[in-house]
């Protein structure tokens, strides 16, 4: 499972401005690549859980809004 989550997180770096900003912030705080990627994977699981719990579709702007990232949908 962790391999799948890490692959998802790595893919999100190229497609999601919010995920990229989250990863970059982790790196700026001193996390190495694997640690920052694992933290991003955990965060993405949390977003997925929220979508499933509320029955809503993923929305880039909503998912990352609490991190004050300027993203486009």
């Amino acid at each position: 499972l962790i391999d799948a989550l890490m692959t998802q997180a790595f893919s999100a770096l190229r497609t999601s401005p919010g995920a990229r900003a989250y990863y970059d912030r982790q790196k700026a705080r001193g996390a190495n690549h694997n640690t920052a990627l694992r933290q991003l994977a955990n965060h993405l699981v949390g977003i997925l859980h929220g979508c499933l719990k509320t029955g809503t579709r993923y929305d880039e702007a909503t998912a990352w809004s609490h991190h004050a990232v300027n993203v486009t949908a």
Side-chain angles (χ1 to χ4, degrees), residues 27-47:
K27 293 281 291 179
R29 295 169 74 185
N32 65 35
H33 170 72
N34 286 331
T35 300
L37 200 61
R38 187 175 60 246
Q39 290 174 349
L40 175 58
N42 288 338
H43 193 75
L44 290 170
V45 169
I47 292 170

Side-chain angles (χ1 to χ4, degrees), residues 4 8 10-11 15-16 21 26 30 34 38 40 42 45 50 52 57 60-61 64-65 69-70 72-73:
Q8 177 201 21
F10 189 72
S11 295
T15 59
S16 167
Q26 299 308 313
N34 286 331
R38 187 175 60 246
L40 175 58
N42 288 338
V45 169
L52 293 172
R57 293 179 182 240
E60 178 79 10
W64 301 101
S65 64
V69 174
N70 185 14
T72 57

